Structure formats: structure tokens, C-alpha cells
Amino acid sequence: MLEIQQLQDKYMEAFEKNTLPIDILQERLQKVSNEKRELEQKKNEIAVHLSSFDSKVIQSELIEMLLEKFLFVDKLKIKNSYFSY
């Protein structure tokens, strides 16, 4: 969005210095305005899409504890399968 604002400012500055005719200024500002609207629409769509997900964060300590328990149980299974032969 900042780039679009800078581009609009650049066009206006060129117009004020009489290096850009008004018809070209209008055409370019309309194009930039359309691009800005499309970007805002995409941004809103992404925000709605992201907000529709359940974005709860799982604490790393819980993941670590579950992983350790999984590895412990897995080792027990390996030991038990070794002794069952």
C-alpha cells in the first residue's frame, strides 16, 4: 500500500511540475486506484479466511511432553516385542 501511495505522489508531483498532462494523470491515478482497491479486497478476503480457522496455539512445552511420552511408549513396545520372541 505504501508503494501505491508513493506512486500517486510521484504522479501528482509530475503533474504539478507540468511534466505530466492531466489526461495521463487521470488515467494513471485511476489505474493505481483500481490496483489499490483490488489489493484491499484481497487483504480482506485473506483476513476473513484466516479468521475462519481455529488458530489456537499449542504451547511448546505440551508438544515436548507429548513427544517424550510417545518415545517412551515406543521404546516400551520395542522392548516388549524383543522379549516376546
Side-chain angles (χ1 to χ4, degrees):
M1 295 294 186
L2 179 61
E3 291 174 10
I4 290 175
Q5 183 61 47
Q6 290 172 340
L7 192 55
Q8 288 174 327
D9 292 343
K10 177 183 163 186
Y11 291 152
M12 290 303 295
E13 185 178 323
F15 173 72
E16 290 169 357
K17 292 180 179 179
N18 292 322
T19 58
L20 187 64
I22 192 161
D23 55 333
I24 295 175
L25 172 68
Q26 289 173 333
E27 178 185 316
R28 290 185 182 177
L29 288 178
Q30 184 63 47
K31 183 178 177 185
V32 169
S33 178
N34 291 342
E35 290 175 10
K36 184 177 180 181
R37 187 173 37 258
E38 288 174 13
L39 286 173
E40 288 173 342
Q41 184 178 357
K42 285 180 185 180
K43 177 185 163 192
N44 290 338
E45 288 172 4
I46 290 170
V48 167
H49 184 70
L50 288 176
S51 69
S52 68
F53 287 107
D54 187 13
S55 59
K56 294 181 182 174
V57 177
I58 300 174
Q59 296 176 352
S60 61
E61 295 84 13
L62 178 59
I63 294 172
E64 185 178 346
M65 182 185 74
L66 291 171
L67 183 57
E68 287 174 1
K69 186 170 184 170
F70 172 79
L71 292 173
F72 177 76
V73 169
D74 192 50
K75 285 179 184 178
L76 285 177
K77 285 181 180 180
I78 292 172
K79 279 185 179 181
N80 288 337
S81 67
Y82 177 74
F83 290 118
S84 66
Y85 289 113

